[in-house]
Amino acid sequence: MSVLRRGAASPQGSAATVVHAAASPYGSRRLTVETDGEVTAAYLKDARDSVIGAVWIANHREAPPDLDRSRLDAGRAPLLPESHVRHPAGRPALAPETLEVVWFEEGDGVALLEEGGLLAVIPGWSDMGRGIPGYARDATLQSPFAFPLDEEIEDFGPRVDQAREHWKRCRADGSWAEFQQSILGHLLQRLGPSGHYWHDVGRQLANGRPNVAPTVGVSERPARGDRKFTVLSTVGMSRQRMPTVELYEDDVAPYGRIELAVASTLPSQRSGSIFPWLAQYPWRSVTWFAPGDVVKWYHEARTFPLGNGESSWEGVLLLDDPNRLAGPEAPGMTGLTLSGDAVRWLWLVPITGEEHRFAKSEGSDALIRRLAQQGRSWVVS
């Protein structure tokens, strides 16, 4: 069994046995529960099979008086000392049939249950490189290998229940249609009648991999009356919270759920081709989109969807208030909530490679001020 640390490769050797394994619904994380007969530990791995979070779960023989460093030196999960464990004599091995995995809605954290009770949690902020492990029911004192679950049970318990309900709701017949209609109804109120609708645009960049949640469509709201531009909006990103928001914001509710939009006078088929790149980006890359973020195009600049083959656009700026730039008054998009969270629309503005580097160096507010001074419009034309 590998040492509980960031970046460790998959445990090797015949002594380690996988007790249970499960992939996240988004395919970006995988949980493995492993034992060598003396210790059981759980590992949260990324798509490259590198360990990013881990937690000691149990000793299966008498706990030593002090930390067993010989196991650490051999690259194995340690026997925690008797002062740190609920069962100093050791507990029986885990029975695979009693285990259940519940992924958090964001897909960046996971809970392991035994016979319906919480056994361990590896949250999205677990980071073995910084000495932050997961939480274990059988740990009684903090260590670099496990934090006591009892200390956080009031937070984790309801969160696991909510996550279970979220996945149940997603699997229910008619659930997607109900959600879709709530978004489309909001767009009708804010932007007027719809035009074309593109289904499941994220599938276009699956690269042969199984398509994973979330499902995201794109709704067209053609120009009308005194609005000389078309608005294209995603439909589906807000159905689930984005990963890692809680690492940066104390209150996730205002930031966790988003849809993306672009206002454009370009042909809709062309401007809408920006969305397959971005629709599943947060869950595929385990990150979040915040107001003011800049995102670099993954391919050659000449292939950028909002360019003309000769433009220097190499990415996008995400604006929650497009009126900070030049152009007509932006439509108000507030007023929609899901599961108690406000849904925020972020507008896409193309930027050059130099502007992307400027934002990374000086901050997005400095870039927005510079673009405003230049008269850059938030409407793409």
Side-chain angles (χ1 to χ4, degrees), residues 10-273:
S10 298
Q12 302 292 329
S14 58
T17 300
V18 176
V19 178
H20 196 80
S24 78
Y26 307 132
S28 54
R29 291 287 184 263
R30 184 172 180 81
L31 177 74
T32 60
V33 182
E34 304 173 8
T35 188
D36 62 1
E38 295 188 340
V39 175
T40 295
Y43 299 88
L44 185 62
K45 304 177 184 180
D46 63 16
R48 297 181 300 276
D49 210 34
S50 294
V51 174
I52 55 174
V55 63
W56 167 97
I57 290 179
N59 292 347
H60 300 299
R61 68 175 179 84
E62 186 175 358
D66 300 300
L67 183 68
D68 184 356
R69 295 197 172 276
S70 64
R71 289 178 59 92
L72 284 174
D73 294 340
R76 303 159 76 189
L79 280 159
L80 289 194
E82 57 186 1
S83 57
H84 285 61
V85 300
R86 190 179 302 278
H87 305 288
R91 59 148 288 171
L94 275 62
E97 65 273 12
T98 67
L99 301 179
E100 177 192 3
V101 170
V102 177
W103 291 93
F104 290 168
E105 177 180 346
E106 301 86 346
D108 59 349
V110 63
L112 180 68
L113 290 77
E114 182 183 37
E115 295 184 337
L118 270 179
L119 181 64
V121 174
I122 306 180
W125 63 82
S126 176
D127 185 339
M128 299 311 297
R130 295 189 292 127
I132 305 175
Y135 296 77
R137 183 181 65 194
D138 290 349
T140 57
L141 292 176
Q142 286 193 9
S143 75
F145 313 104
F147 288 169
L149 182 58
D150 281 353
E151 296 179 0
E152 301 293 337
I153 196 68
E154 291 185 1
D155 290 330
F156 284 137
R159 186 165 181 182
V160 170
D161 292 340
Q162 291 165 8
R164 185 185 278 110
E165 284 302 309
H166 169 76
W167 298 119
K168 180 180 178 181
R169 194 163 54 245
C170 287
R171 292 190 296 266
D173 292 342
S175 173
W176 166 254
E178 181 180 347
F179 163 81
Q180 186 184 47
Q181 287 306 308
S182 68
I183 299 291
L184 293 177
H186 183 76
L187 293 175
L188 176 62
Q189 291 179 350
R190 295 295 187 268
L191 300 170
S194 64
H196 192 74
Y197 184 86
W198 290 269
H199 295 271
D200 203 5
V201 297
R203 186 184 298 272
Q204 298 178 33
L205 285 185
N207 296 325
R209 297 175 298 174
N211 192 48
V212 296
T215 298
V216 181
V218 173
S219 175
E220 176 192 42
R221 303 288 153 161
R224 60 167 189 160
D226 59 354
R227 191 179 75 212
K228 305 302 182 184
F229 54 87
T230 293
V231 175
L232 299 175
S233 171
T234 59
V235 175
M237 294 182 71
S238 63
R239 196 183 186 200
Q240 49 282 302
R241 282 180 166 179
M242 293 179 292
T244 72
V245 181
E246 59 194 337
L247 296 178
Y248 306 94
E249 300 292 342
D250 291 334
D251 185 3
V252 174
Y255 300 96
R257 299 184 191 274
I258 66 160
E259 299 289 351
L260 299 178
V262 63
S264 173
T265 59
L266 299 172
S268 293
Q269 185 74 37
R270 179 173 156 192
S271 53
S273 61

